[in-house]
Amino acid sequence: VENASVNEVTLAPSSDQTITAGETVAFNATAYDQFDNPIDKPDTAFTWANTSANGTFQRSATGTYTVTATVNNQTSQSATVTVTPAGAADVALTPAADQTLTAGETIDFTATAYDDAGNQITTDETDFNWKNATSTGQFETTTAGDYTVTAERNGVTNTTRVTVEPAGIDDVELTPNASQTINATDTLNFNATAVAQFDNPINSTDRAFTWTNATATGIFTKTTAGTYTVTAAYTNATNATAETTVSVTV
């Protein structure tokens, strides 16, 4: 008894499938006549939607795909395959370039994870482990210096550098800062340090200050007995001064 013409086509697996990018699903198609007798046809005899010629589904792009098999104008029921991202292969940081800011300022970093096919996995900052930033990717510090900001997901990282510069000058410190007593034949060497907001020291030399009762490098020398006020004022900074007294005896 020969088979009648194709009346129905079925797929296996017939249920909806979910895979990660790059994985495969092997579909098989079977044709039946009107009496439910299977008709011997290889998978390559069918016309497939969204698979190879032998029914193998493989996609690297995420999304939902519909798979069908057709032969002799009979099309199977459809099966859907949902492709989700694979594991993280790359993490992108924004901004990616090195950053420079002033102490007390903030930078909001964003991170995006991709699989090896370039599919976006997540843009939620809380899905990453951050170094030198909050759980939402915000960088903020009041301490001047160089910092490396890192976002990590599943062992994949990306980093960028943030340089924090001191804020405006608001104080000057003298060394020694206590009142001094010396002989008329002695000298004192004062050192001045400019201090920015948040107590960050400024790279400066004694020549960056305007001195009262001392040389341009902070050296005090007097041969006349008396009490002198030594003052160091940081150039171009309002109210950024420090002072102490020196008593000279003969």
Side-chain angles (χ1 to χ4, degrees), residues 10-20 22-30 43-44 46 48-59 67-69 77 79-81 83:
T10 63
L11 281 182
S14 59
S15 59
D16 294 342
Q17 305 291 305
T18 299
I19 61 174
T20 59
E23 292 183 337
T24 62
V25 178
F27 285 96
N28 296 303
T30 304
D43 287 328
T44 54
F46 296 83
W48 293 88
N50 289 317
T51 72
S52 66
N54 66 356
T56 300
F57 176 93
Q58 184 177 29
R59 287 286 191 277
V67 175
T68 58
Q77 81 280 15
T80 61
V81 181
V83 179

